[in-house]
Amino acid sequence: KQEILDYLHVHQMPYIIDASNQSDRYLRNRIRNSVIPALKCCDDRFEKNFAQTHAKLVDTEEFLQELSHATLETISDENNSLDINKLIGLHPVLRNRVLINWLIMHKVPFAPSAGLLDEIVRFLENNK
């Protein structure tokens, strides 16, 4: 944040501060204003360790995204219809990601949630 503010000041660029960012009413602000400073106080390696963990999570996310796209291609036909038996046989994490990608590919409006994905899987398992 400070780097961004410094840049804006150096280049004399106007900016607006959202007042809601100061309120501890929102969880994201309580984490930013209380939890992160406490973690920094507890361990001076926090920022370095957090950055390393974040980088590993980004790598993992990229890998899982590639794997889910590749898996979707292997369990669907030329019409993009899914082989339900193959889908059901996938590891739950991969199965959910494949389902999400399939729904997006077909432009199905949805709010991704564990409940929705669980319900789709229950439906597919019970209505083979």
Side-chain angles (χ1 to χ4, degrees):
K1 176 181 176 180
Q2 192 56 51
E3 288 179 37
I4 294 170
L5 291 174
D6 292 344
Y7 179 89
L8 294 172
H9 286 294
V10 166
H11 293 88
Q12 299 178 348
M13 298 173 73
Y15 61 91
I16 298 172
I17 296 177
D18 183 346
S20 73
N21 286 337
Q22 304 305 316
S23 171
D24 278 347
R25 178 177 172 203
Y26 303 101
L27 177 61
R28 69 178 187 275
N29 294 342
R30 291 193 304 271
I31 292 170
R32 183 177 53 245
N33 296 332
S34 300
V35 175
I36 291 178
L39 291 169
K40 288 178 182 179
C41 184
C42 291
D43 186 351
D44 57 356
R45 301 167 299 169
F46 170 77
E47 287 189 53
K48 177 184 168 213
N49 291 341
F50 186 83
Q52 289 173 339
T53 300
H54 180 263
K56 289 177 185 176
L57 288 171
V58 168
D59 287 344
T60 301
E61 176 60 27
E62 289 172 0
F63 169 76
L64 289 171
Q65 202 50 1
E66 289 173 18
L67 179 62
S68 64
H69 283 288
T71 302
L72 177 57
E73 287 182 21
T74 64
I75 68 167
S76 58
D77 62 20
E78 62 277 353
N79 297 320
N80 293 319
S81 295
L82 291 173
D83 181 323
I84 302 302
N85 291 323
K86 288 181 181 176
L87 177 70
I88 297 301
L90 295 174
H91 184 282
V93 171
L94 183 56
R95 180 184 60 222
N96 286 348
R97 287 173 167 268
V98 168
L99 272 173
I100 289 170
N101 287 325
W102 188 87
L103 291 167
I104 291 169
M105 181 174 65
H106 288 279
K107 297 180 173 54
V108 175
F110 70 103
S113 69
L116 171 68
L117 297 172
D118 290 344
E119 187 64 28
I120 291 171
V121 170
R122 272 193 302 277
F123 175 80
L124 295 174
E125 287 176 333
N126 292 324
N127 293 293
K128 293 183 179 180

